[in-house]
Amino acid sequence: MWHSALLFLTLVFGVQCAPKEDEITDLPGLNYAVNFKHYSGYLEGWRGKQLHYWFVESSRNPSEDPVVLWMNGGPGCSSMDGLLTELGPYLISADGTLKKNDFSWNTVTNVIFLEAPACVGFSYDPHDNCTTSDDEVSLSNYMALQDFFRKFPEFKKNDFYITGESYGGIYVPTLAVRILQDEDNANIPLKGFAVGNGLSSYKLNDNSIVFFGYYHGLYGDNLWSSLVHHCCENDRANSDSCNFATPTNPICIKGVAIAMDIVYNEGLNMYNLYGKCLHSSNSGKMKRYFTDVGHLFRSQPKQKELFEKFKHRLMSLKSSDPPCTDSRDMQNYLNNPEVRASIHIPGHVQEWEICSDRVYAGYQRQYENMVEQYKYLTSHVPGLVYNGDVDMACNFLGDEWFVEQLGLKAVERRRMWHDGDQVAGFVKRFDNLDLVTIRGAGHMVPQDKPSAALKMITSFIFKKKY
């Protein structure tokens, strides 16, 4: 008899198995009532690695809305940045309070913010091993996802999407492929993936930023003419004829180094060309050079020489901020003992920093591009590649070239899309892959253009017109 009653209650109210010990019941700085549940705790990855997650349920219909995984990049940077400054339901203020984000992605989806790999943010390795690789990260993240659905089995029936930005261009596709190719994938219902301002190809990213720099007025005709003459076949400047990424001509190498220095190392905001360059209290020129800049022009002799010379000094630098950013508000908030207690961070876990130099210095990059991953994924699930069009870390042109060179059938020609009565950017749709730009946004699209970002992700997930 009681089995029938239990079945009835399950059908009527659903299965509520969320871990009570991870539920956030009193979040410091939150001065308004929220209409959703939120959780913070740990998921177990490969070899016992403990990956910190922060899960916010949808404020609309959590039992039916999709579940979205969000990952920031680096490699080695924290997804708390995504939570507290980009697409989360509450945004950090300088006074330590949390203000409501009307354009949070949890207005239409459930969102998991995962700090990965171990040693990033509040994530840790019990053996204090912070070295890792692309494949190990995807494996550990996959195991953490399986752990998430063990903790929250009620969400296994919801559609699931993987999203991320920057080095998420590697994290997202490699994780998605691993899920789809594993016959024992714990029935994770992967329905699609989205990559924002992602690193999809080192070569195309390097080649395209030189074009981007010239056509945005960052260097003059003398430098550009020299680059075209010494780096491009037959003095023709196009994506096929120019090799700025792996040049051999000494004059080309010198010219590319000058262009690279102007773009990344002279005070411009590499994440938003037209944004201010913020400076945290301990940031320095060398530090800026080896955060996200470190994945650019890696074949350049100057870059190789500097990285080998200075990588051992990374951990001695006090600021973990990427170039032209200031994470002190987040750092002060997340390291507040009351906040740590409210989000269930054990006392032995390190203080929170936005990026981990230990992870970055010991990270093994295994892929030059994501061509094979995208070809596999687009034959199984839909994808979205989106770019803020004034980002210089992973610029829109390189990702556009990457998508165009996949050879997918175009199903909708390039056109404007709108957010309200304003042009939000451009969209071109291919067979199972959408290519979208967001006008006036930089590297962190949901931060720069929150309304357009929400419309974009809603259009992709719910198959609405952009």
Side-chain angles (χ1 to χ4, degrees), residues 197-320:
N197 290 79
L199 180 62
S200 304
S201 163
Y202 287 98
K203 180 179 179 180
L204 293 179
N205 197 41
D206 288 352
N207 271 340
S208 59
I209 191 58
V210 180
F211 285 87
F212 180 102
Y214 175 64
Y215 287 108
H216 282 80
L218 301 189
Y219 31 86
D221 283 342
N222 288 341
L223 177 57
W224 177 246
S225 296
S226 177
L227 287 167
V228 172
H229 181 66
H230 295 288
C231 306
C232 306
E233 296 177 1
N234 302 317
D235 288 349
R236 297 175 61 232
N238 59 51
S239 59
D240 295 323
S241 64
C242 296
N243 180 12
F244 303 121
T246 56
T248 56
N249 182 306
I251 301 178
C252 176
I253 291 173
K254 183 178 179 180
V256 170
I258 294 170
M260 178 181 70
D261 203 53
I262 292 170
V263 172
Y264 296 123
N265 211 32
E266 293 297 331
L268 294 173
N269 187 337
M270 64 178 288
Y271 295 115
N272 187 324
L273 173 58
Y274 302 120
K276 291 182 178 180
C277 185
L278 303 177
H279 300 282
S280 62
S281 58
N282 298 304
S283 61
K285 188 173 182 179
M286 195 276 282
K287 174 64 183 182
R288 294 200 307 271
Y289 202 85
F290 289 106
T291 48
D292 278 355
V293 184
H295 65 245
L296 300 157
F297 295 97
R298 294 179 67 83
S299 65
Q300 282 288 304
K302 177 182 177 182
Q303 182 83 322
K304 286 183 175 180
E305 178 184 344
L306 285 174
F307 186 77
E308 291 303 318
K309 182 177 180 181
F310 292 120
K311 67 180 180 180
H312 66 280
R313 290 178 52 198
L314 281 174
M315 289 180 285
S316 68
L317 297 170
K318 295 181 180 179
S319 172
S320 65

Side-chain angles (χ1 to χ4, degrees), residues 49 118-119 125 128-133 136 358-359 361-364:
K49 296 177 187 295
C119 304
D125 185 318
D128 198 32
N129 180 8
C130 297
T131 59
T132 189
S133 66
E136 184 182 301
R358 294 183 68 192
V359 170
Y363 195 94
Q364 181 183 355

Side-chain angles (χ1 to χ4, degrees), residues 82-118:
L83 172 70
L84 294 174
T85 73
E86 297 188 65
L87 59 130
Y90 20 67
L91 304 176
I92 189 69
S93 299
D95 62 1
T97 59
L98 300 174
K99 62 180 180 180
K100 184 179 180 181
N101 180 9
D102 291 329
F103 303 104
S104 171
W105 289 11
N106 92 312
T107 57
V108 293
T109 67
N110 305 280
V111 188
I112 311 164
F113 297 88
L114 183 67
E115 293 197 283

Side-chain angles (χ1 to χ4, degrees), residues 22-44:
D22 287 357
E23 186 173 358
I24 300 172
T25 58
D26 184 17
L27 187 59
L30 188 62
N31 298 326
Y32 64 93
V34 297
N35 60 341
F36 56 86
K37 290 185 176 182
H38 43 178
Y39 302 83
S40 171
Y42 284 88
L43 304 171
E44 186 166 334

Side-chain angles (χ1 to χ4, degrees), residues 122-142:
F122 289 131
S123 296
Y124 66 95
D125 185 318
H127 307 292
D128 198 32
N129 180 8
C130 297
T131 59
T132 189
S133 66
D134 290 332
D135 285 341
E136 184 182 301
V137 168
S138 69
L139 174 60
S140 199
N141 289 347
Y142 177 42

